[in-house]
Amino acid sequence: MIRASMLAVLWTLWLSGCSSAPERDYQVTTYQRQAAAWLAQGDRKRQQGAYQQALAYYGNAYRYASKRHDAEQMGLARLKQAAVYIRQGQLERAEQRITQAEVFARFEQTELASAIDFVRSKLAFARGDQGQALALVAKLQTQFSEQTEKHIYYRWVGWQYAPATLDWVQAELDIAQLAKLKADKSLNNIEIQSFVLYHNVLWRTASGQSGVERALDAAIRHFASLELSNWLVACFKLAAQYYDAAGEAERAQYYQARLTELSGDD
């Protein structure tokens, strides 16, 4: 029996040496790729406003990342869930998810610190703690001062937290810079441009700033190109309100009709 067992082990080892394909770095990334795919699908659903589906997809991403013990992806999935919960006003659930990500960042080698700071800033603002929200986003602006895209994003988030600090000259420069990055095919995160273009319209209409029509046109073309109907609805609503207030009844009716039609789509 002992001899038979030894022969079985030797046979197994011999077969191991007869690999059907040569290996180089011996990395298996099946779970990693599946987690990344679920994260991407969750992002898409979140952008579309399908928040329950986004939460479910992020949960799937977490499960696959967990199978690989990929703390980076696990933490990212939890932070993305936290951001959705903040959007839904479920702040305690958001806190729980952020805390989970913080545990991964504490005990594993990850690059989650900046993402944690950002989601914590969103949670602080949702709780009415403007001071903490601004302090965290100012830290991020400094941290990413050499990365144009992220620096612009955190500046605009800061303006969202404190509208009185908005600098329209700088805002125009930021919009142009993002447009150039996109034209050069060097824009890493299209959601940053989405955030900027929508808020450019929102804040201009709210403050009576000039350039609303140009801003509306840019935002509508942007969201149409991304096929984000929910954001087109938001833009059409702003357009209808703006043109109605400007006394352009026919144009206001046009955008109201588009708003009604698109809002009724399945």
Side-chain angles (χ1 to χ4, degrees), residues 107-122:
F107 293 108
E108 303 287 348
Q109 292 184 342
T110 70
E111 296 182 0
L112 293 170
S114 60
I116 290 170
D117 282 342
F118 178 55
V119 181
R120 277 231 166 266
S121 80
K122 293 169 71 72

Side-chain angles (χ1 to χ4, degrees), residues 83-127:
V84 173
Y85 282 132
I86 292 169
R87 177 88 180 190
Q88 294 180 319
Q90 299 184 55
L91 304 188
E92 290 308 311
R93 286 191 174 184
E95 177 68 54
Q96 292 169 3
R97 294 297 189 267
I98 296 171
T99 298
Q100 285 180 295
E102 288 173 333
V103 170
F104 296 133
R106 179 184 176 189
F107 293 108
E108 303 287 348
Q109 292 184 342
T110 70
E111 296 182 0
L112 293 170
S114 60
I116 290 170
D117 282 342
F118 178 55
V119 181
R120 277 231 166 266
S121 80
K122 293 169 71 72
L123 182 59
F125 186 70
R127 286 174 167 167

